[in-house]
Amino acid sequence: MRIEGSVAVVTGAGSGIGRALAESFAAAGASVVVSDIDGERARRTADGIDSAGHATVVRQADASRVESIQGLIDCAEDNYGPVDIYVANAGVAGPPGLGLAEDDWDQTLEVNVRAHIRAAAILLPHWVARGTGCFVSIASAAGLLTQIGDAAYAVSKHAAVAFAEWLAITYGEKGIRVTCACPMGVNTPLLNATRESSDAAHRLAAKAIVDSAAVVEPEWVAEVTVQAVREDRFLSLPQPEVRDLFRRKAAEYEGWVLGMQRYQGALGRRTLLVDEASGAEVT
């Protein structure tokens, strides 16, 4: 996919991976619509891109709502032309375990999955007519493996990977490109808040992430993902450890599940010992 001269929309671009992606696509020559549900954070990202001399426009939007997605696409067309690349990056982490309220499940699935489906449903007819277009799904290693502790996040990210895969299979011969990024631990406010949570289940989930692969910077995720888009590759894995773990899972699924059970138990015991040693409240 040629990025130079393209028009890109990046959701959840107010911080973390989204900000890095917006900056990277702009630096690669795309005109970028920077979007976030927090308009002020989106503005700060856009200001940084502007100061670097790249083309950008900012728009506050809820990436899970059809009218907001349509507004982003209209904004891109009004300022630069038809959207060539849509980066579905906005995401949320749900509360851990099964004891989630229906609203928590709904929000996680709306933002992490249905936002992608709704954007694709709007864009694909136009892309198929043009014979080109690129959908970038920022999923997670949790979508290939799992997420200890966080059922809603694991389920939603599996669904995001599955939808991206379906898009690639269904529309690949019609000129549509799909890239699915599956990072593990990334140095973002989301991961840091989980690591520092007062909830032991949240800290357990964070421990599983940081122990399984190197924690990388958002800029590295963006660099690897933009390169995957250039090369028309489906899977973007910022950490090679994820590929190894995924292969082990596929090679011996029963053993992998049993191993994860044991791993979760060991992590839980270690987390409990740390909490008791520090005098922290164990929940």
Side-chain angles (χ1 to χ4, degrees):
M1 177 79 185
R2 180 178 174 83
I3 298 174
E4 295 81 1
S6 67
V7 177
V9 172
V10 182
T11 67
S15 63
I17 295 172
R19 174 172 290 175
L21 283 163
E23 292 169 346
S24 292
F25 275 105
S31 299
V32 179
V33 176
V34 171
S35 170
D36 198 277
I37 197 166
D38 185 324
E40 181 54 37
R41 292 196 306 180
R43 168 58 62 190
R44 289 197 290 270
T45 298
D47 287 345
I49 293 172
D50 283 337
S51 66
H54 305 304
T56 186
V57 63
V58 63
R59 186 178 179 91
Q60 186 276 335
D62 178 346
S64 69
R65 298 178 63 84
V66 171
E67 58 270 27
S68 289
I69 296 167
Q70 187 64 63
L72 288 172
I73 294 167
D74 292 343
C75 177
E77 291 184 348
D78 290 345
N79 285 274
Y80 303 121
V83 173
D84 300 297
I85 302 169
Y86 190 94
V87 185
N89 167 76
V92 295
L98 284 174
L100 285 83
E102 287 293 312
D103 287 348
D104 290 327
W105 273 102
D106 289 344
Q107 182 190 31
T108 304
L109 294 171
E110 286 286 301
V111 177
N112 292 357
V113 186
R114 297 201 68 188
H116 299 205
I117 297 168
R118 289 166 178 152
I122 294 171
L123 289 162
L124 262 295
H126 303 286
W127 283 354
V128 169
R130 292 168 55 198
T132 186
C134 180
F135 193 91
V136 183
S137 172
I138 307 302
S140 168
L144 298 175
L145 304 169
T146 191
Q147 176 62 61
I148 287 176
D150 194 335
Y153 188 79
V155 169
S156 67
K157 292 301 184 178
H158 270 74
V161 172
F163 181 66
E165 186 178 278
W166 181 88
L167 277 181
I169 292 168
T170 305
Y171 292 98
E173 292 188 348
K174 299 179 181 180
I176 310 307
R177 301 289 176 257
V178 180
T179 291
C180 183
C182 292
M184 192 172 273
V186 184
N187 184 20
T188 63
L190 182 63
L191 176 61
N192 293 332
T194 304
R195 296 174 77 172
E196 297 166 6
S197 172
S198 60
D199 189 302
H202 271 137
R203 295 197 303 278
L204 181 65
K207 184 67 172 171
I209 292 169
V210 301
D211 280 2
S212 298
V215 175
V216 299
E217 295 300 320
E219 291 75 17
W220 175 246
V221 177
E223 180 180 335
V224 172
T225 302
V226 168
Q227 188 60 29
V229 171
R230 284 190 189 279
E231 297 173 358
D232 293 333
R233 284 191 285 110
F234 175 77
L235 194 57
S236 170
L237 295 178
Q239 291 114 321
E241 296 96 329
V242 173
R243 188 182 302 276
D244 296 336
L245 290 167
F246 188 47
R247 285 173 173 161
R248 287 166 53 190
K249 175 182 178 179
E252 218 292 278
Y253 214 142
E254 294 295 329
W256 183 83
V257 170
L258 291 173
M260 287 295 289
Q261 290 172 358
R262 291 192 293 269
Y263 179 52
Q264 177 178 252
L267 277 176
R269 289 189 293 274
R270 286 161 56 192
T271 301
L272 179 62
L273 288 172
V274 169
D275 285 338
E276 289 177 340
S278 65
E281 180 180 355
V282 180
T283 57

